[in-house]
Amino acid sequence: MLVLVAPGQGAQTPGFLTPWLELPGAADRVAAWSDAIGLDLAHYGTKADAEEIRDTAVAQPLLVAAGILSAAALGAVTPNAVAGHSVGEITAAAFAGILDDTSALTLVRKRGLAMADAAAITETGMSALLGGDPEVSVAHLERLGLTPANVNGAGQIVAAGTLEQLAVLNEDKPEGVRKVVPLKVAGAFHTHHMAPAVDALAKAAAELAPADPKFTYVSNKDGQAVATGAEVLQRLVGQVANPVRWDLCMETFKELGATALIEVCPGGTLVGLAKRALPGVKTLALKTPDDLDAARELIAEHANA
């Protein structure tokens, strides 16, 4: 039983799109998407530095484009379930046929711009907590006025709030937490700080005509499978100001009987979580086209199994 997943913001690194653009037709597809959304994806994916691609308005469409492109390079894939972490949910919506590629990129472009505008109101950020007991950590974060914005499972929680609050957290870690790691994001996503972005995203979503998912679509909101495209779109709108429950998504993968998990480009983060939370499930991260053959073998062994 195969699950196809897409990473969220922070997974991007300078030049990560370069080898993918060498695949037949890839550069033309990316050029067409760039024209459609008014953003030079090839430039940002190949030549831009870390600070440039940290920009929310750039990072989000870049990640969705990379995810769609790398999944397409696998050929015809029929996963049993799909999911994405945060902005990766839009990539997953494209996998599942809920949105066509251009609609997904148009939506994520508007999402990125709206969230960047919301982030500019107050200086905010996010930091990952490594280790510790989730219940203890959540209570500690709430005492500091921070939000557990991503509950990722495998002992990882991401805190979000103002830079001042995060600085306090760095000095006053919850009991059992080994390390607090600042993330390469430009705002306190999935918190009340993103509330101004919700209205803008709702207007953008209202212009789309979503189809129902072709595969089981597992939602960040509560880890539940969502049966209609309309509900997926509604959840994508509310998601920007509400926590990501990737831990519950992985519980659903387990309940569905997942035997393999492939993370599209720029893969690695979600595979790392799965290795700790889903023992026995084979995992593979698509980092470069060199990973495609191994991914196809895994698909042949586990898709529809």
Side-chain angles (χ1 to χ4, degrees):
M1 188 273 191
L2 174 69
V3 182
L4 190 64
V5 299
Q9 201 164 337
Q12 72 277 7
T13 56
F16 78 98
L17 199 60
T18 300
W20 295 96
L21 293 178
E22 297 172 2
L23 296 177
D28 290 341
R29 291 189 75 190
V30 170
W33 294 338
S34 297
D35 289 343
I37 67 173
L39 184 72
D40 190 344
L41 295 164
H43 165 76
Y44 285 108
T46 61
K47 298 178 181 178
D49 61 25
E51 190 60 29
E52 288 178 281
I53 61 173
R54 181 174 175 268
D55 180 353
T56 303
V58 170
Q60 294 190 9
L62 189 58
L63 286 163
V64 172
I68 294 172
L69 195 67
S70 58
L74 290 169
V77 183
T78 307
N80 301 87
V82 298
H85 189 285
S86 186
V87 71
E89 285 210 292
I90 296 179
T91 317
F95 296 161
I98 297 165
L99 299 173
D100 62 51
D101 296 348
T102 301
S103 294
L105 284 156
T106 299
L107 179 63
V108 75
R109 175 61 167 154
K110 292 177 180 178
R111 181 188 193 267
L113 288 166
M115 291 176 73
D117 287 344
I121 297 170
T122 306
E123 286 193 318
T124 58
M126 304 177 80
S127 293
L129 279 61
L130 306 182
D133 178 270
E135 290 187 9
V136 172
S137 293
V138 167
H140 187 91
L141 294 178
E142 290 173 347
R143 283 197 296 273
L144 297 181
L146 289 158
T147 300
N150 299 347
V151 183
N152 286 332
Q156 188 191 98
I157 291 176
V158 174
T162 66
L163 297 186
E164 291 82 359
Q165 290 169 330
L166 291 169
V168 172
L169 172 65
N170 201 49
E171 299 300 322
D172 182 15
K173 294 187 283 288
E175 182 181 354
V177 169
R178 303 187 307 277
K179 194 174 183 181
V180 176
V181 181
L183 299 185
K184 294 178 287 185
V185 297
F189 305 143
H190 306 292
T191 72
H192 67 278
H193 292 286
M194 290 294 109
V198 173
D199 287 343
L201 199 58
K203 290 176 183 176
E207 298 173 1
L208 302 176
D212 292 340
K214 297 176 182 176
F215 320 119
T216 299
Y217 182 98
V218 181
S219 168
N220 283 180
K221 181 177 181 179
D222 50 15
Q224 295 301 302
V226 182
T228 70
E231 185 179 352
V232 168
L233 207 53
Q234 181 181 31
R235 286 174 174 237
L236 287 175
V237 171
Q239 176 232 53
V240 298
N242 287 284
V244 169
R245 294 301 305 268
W246 192 251
D247 59 331
L248 299 181
C249 290
M250 290 196 293
E251 284 298 319
T252 298
F253 301 160
K254 190 185 300 182
E255 291 168 7
L256 291 171
T259 56
L261 179 144
I262 294 175
E263 181 181 2
V264 298
C265 176
T269 303
L270 301 182
V271 158
L273 293 170
K275 284 180 176 177
R276 297 192 292 276
L278 300 171
V281 173
K282 292 187 177 181
T283 59
L284 188 145
L286 287 178
K287 298 178 183 292
T288 75
D290 291 342
D291 300 312
L292 288 170
D293 285 343
R296 293 185 187 111
E297 289 179 12
L298 200 62
I299 290 165
E301 292 172 9
H302 295 270
N304 300 310

